[in-house]
Amino acid sequence: MASANEQDLSLKLFVVLSRAVQSVMKRVEEDIKNYGLNPTEFAVLELLFNKGDQPIQKIGEKILLASSSITYVVDKLEKKKYLIRKPCPKDRRVTYASITPEGQELMSTIFPEHKEALQEIFGGLNAEEKENMIKKLKKLGFHAQEL
Amino acid sequence: MASANEQDLSLKLFVVLSRAVQSVMKRVEEDIKNYGLNPTEFAVLELLFNKGDQPIQKIGEKILLASSSITYVVDKLEKKKYLIRKPCPKDRRVTYASITPEGQELMSTIFPEHKEALQEIFGGLNAEEKENMIKKLKKLGFHAQEL
DNA sequence: ATAATAAATCTCGAATTCGAGATAATTTAT
DNA sequence: ATAAATTATCTCGAATTCGAGATTTATTAT
């Protein structure tokens, strides 16, 4: 059994993590909202922009979203003309999401801006601190995932 | 202007942070769901349990929730008999949320269990790593908040 | 070859959160 | 003392996410 101090330390880490993430995400959302997108839409476009066409199923796996939610987001992006659905000829169960030229143009403009915004948002830490935090967060994330 | 490497590091930190938090939160939600609560309900009860009666307004400030959302959560907890609303006699605009004996009993049972669960979820890091992460997350959070 | 199983996508309804605005009470300024 | 501004809470509708289940297609087992 963990000592009271160890437990309190974990509790504190949980609280501090929640707060910090809330502050960070708020800024990130503000940034993305400037582009007329929400974080999920941005994540989907970023995936298609950087990794090419994806089966709708795969998108859900990569950005950790339920299939019904993906349908919703892809619908919205299709209405905005940033992507189109393309049926897969080999497997008629599958539909690809494919970024349009409009989507490409949008992303090639805003992705660099987004990276600058992230650079500012994470400006509280220097490079070494970021490297270290990445390492520790991976450890933490893997452990939590495997429970 | 930040170098490409610095920007990529921030982007990577953002991605890793998002993933890690997603894994952690998923476990925490599973834990809390066992108690028949969602994370927001738990946060409200925890506040009342540890800090005593609170004006509804204050709850929103402490757990960072919009006033309309607080009304919704307090309604739910009141239906579950874990808290009651008490009008403030000094200022008739104010309503206190007050934990009931049932709520006290619930929290005194599940709060220790919750701390044990957190101890497991954060078990990927040792005490020193947690201390360090708390320090860095505070830096990160304050910086992001002040932008 | 047929039946059972699995996989991909979608539909639907519920849960949660937000923002805008309504209402009522208090405080501040004139 | 009255008017104006502020504060606390709530109502309402929109946005987003989920899970359960429906539908269609493909794969596996008999």
Side-chain angles (χ1 to χ4, degrees):
Chain A
M1 188 190 68
S3 78
N5 281 340
E6 277 175 30
Q7 283 192 4
D8 288 344
L9 190 56
S10 293
L11 177 58
K12 177 154 190 182
L13 176 52
F14 174 64
V15 171
V16 172
L17 178 64
S18 303
R19 295 288 166 127
V21 165
Q22 211 159 3
S23 296
V24 165
M25 291 305 169
K26 191 165 178 179
R27 295 304 165 210
V28 173
E29 281 179 32
E30 281 172 10
D31 173 59
I32 290 176
K33 195 165 293 174
N34 290 332
Y35 316 138
L37 300 172
N38 70 32
T40 309
E41 293 170 328
F42 187 88
V44 171
L45 279 186
E46 185 185 333
L47 178 66
L48 301 182
F49 182 65
N50 289 315
K51 301 285 173 65
D53 298 1
Q54 302 284 327
I56 283 178
Q57 174 80 354
K58 286 278 174 238
I59 299 175
E61 289 167 18
K62 302 237 177 140
I63 69 176
L64 303 181
L65 214 55
S67 70
S68 51
S69 307
I70 289 292
T71 298
Y72 173 75
V73 177
V74 169
D75 280 351
K76 282 180 57 191
L77 287 171
E78 202 169 24
K79 277 192 196 105
K80 291 180 180 176
K81 312 282 189 195
Y82 291 144
L83 67 74
I84 54 169
R85 283 178 163 89
K86 288 183 178 171
C88 171
K90 309 234 176 163
D91 185 338
R92 286 166 41 197
R93 292 171 304 181
V94 173
T95 303
Y96 286 100
S98 177
I99 192 167
T100 60
E102 292 94 321
Q104 300 252 8
E105 174 155 355
L106 177 74
M107 286 306 286
S108 58
T109 303
I110 71 181
F111 194 55
E113 290 178 29
H114 175 63
K115 293 216 293 188
E116 275 180 36
L118 286 181
Q119 178 66 22
E120 277 201 31
I121 291 166
F122 286 93
L125 302 181
N126 64 33
E128 189 194 334
E129 290 171 320
K130 287 176 197 166
E131 300 268 22
N132 184 255
M133 182 162 278
I134 287 170
K135 193 162 57 178
K136 301 304 184 186
L137 283 171
K138 279 184 179 174
K139 248 173 107 173
L140 178 58
F142 283 133
H143 177 84
Q145 201 168 21
E146 281 165 7
L147 282 181
Chain B
M1 189 188 67
S3 79
N5 280 342
E6 277 176 30
Q7 284 191 6
D8 288 342
L9 190 57
S10 293
L11 177 58
K12 177 154 191 183
L13 176 51
F14 175 62
V15 171
V16 172
L17 177 64
S18 303
R19 296 287 167 126
V21 166
Q22 212 159 1
S23 296
V24 165
M25 292 304 169
K26 190 165 178 179
R27 295 303 165 210
V28 173
E29 282 178 33
E30 282 171 9
D31 173 59
I32 291 176
K33 195 165 294 176
N34 290 332
Y35 316 137
L37 299 172
N38 71 32
T40 309
E41 293 170 327
F42 186 88
V44 171
L45 278 187
E46 184 185 334
L47 178 65
L48 302 182
F49 182 65
N50 290 316
K51 302 285 172 64
D53 298 1
Q54 302 284 327
I56 283 179
Q57 174 79 356
K58 287 278 175 235
I59 300 175
E61 289 166 18
K62 301 239 176 137
I63 69 175
L64 304 180
L65 213 55
S67 69
S68 49
S69 308
I70 289 293
T71 299
Y72 172 75
V73 177
V74 168
D75 280 351
K76 281 180 55 191
L77 288 171
E78 201 169 25
K79 276 191 198 107
K80 290 181 181 175
K81 311 285 189 194
Y82 292 144
L83 66 75
I84 55 168
R85 283 178 164 88
K86 289 182 177 170
C88 171
K90 309 235 174 159
D91 184 338
R92 286 166 40 197
R93 293 170 303 181
V94 173
T95 303
Y96 286 100
S98 178
I99 194 168
T100 61
E102 291 95 320
Q104 300 252 8
E105 174 155 356
L106 177 74
M107 287 306 287
S108 58
T109 303
I110 71 181
F111 194 55
E113 290 178 28
H114 176 63
K115 294 217 292 190
E116 275 179 34
L118 286 181
Q119 178 66 23
E120 277 201 31
I121 292 165
F122 286 93
L125 303 180
N126 64 35
E128 188 194 334
E129 290 170 321
K130 287 177 196 165
E131 299 269 22
N132 185 255
M133 182 161 278
I134 287 170
K135 194 162 57 178
K136 301 304 185 187
L137 282 171
K138 279 184 178 173
K139 248 174 108 172
L140 178 59
F142 283 134
H143 177 85
Q145 199 168 22
E146 281 164 6
L147 281 182

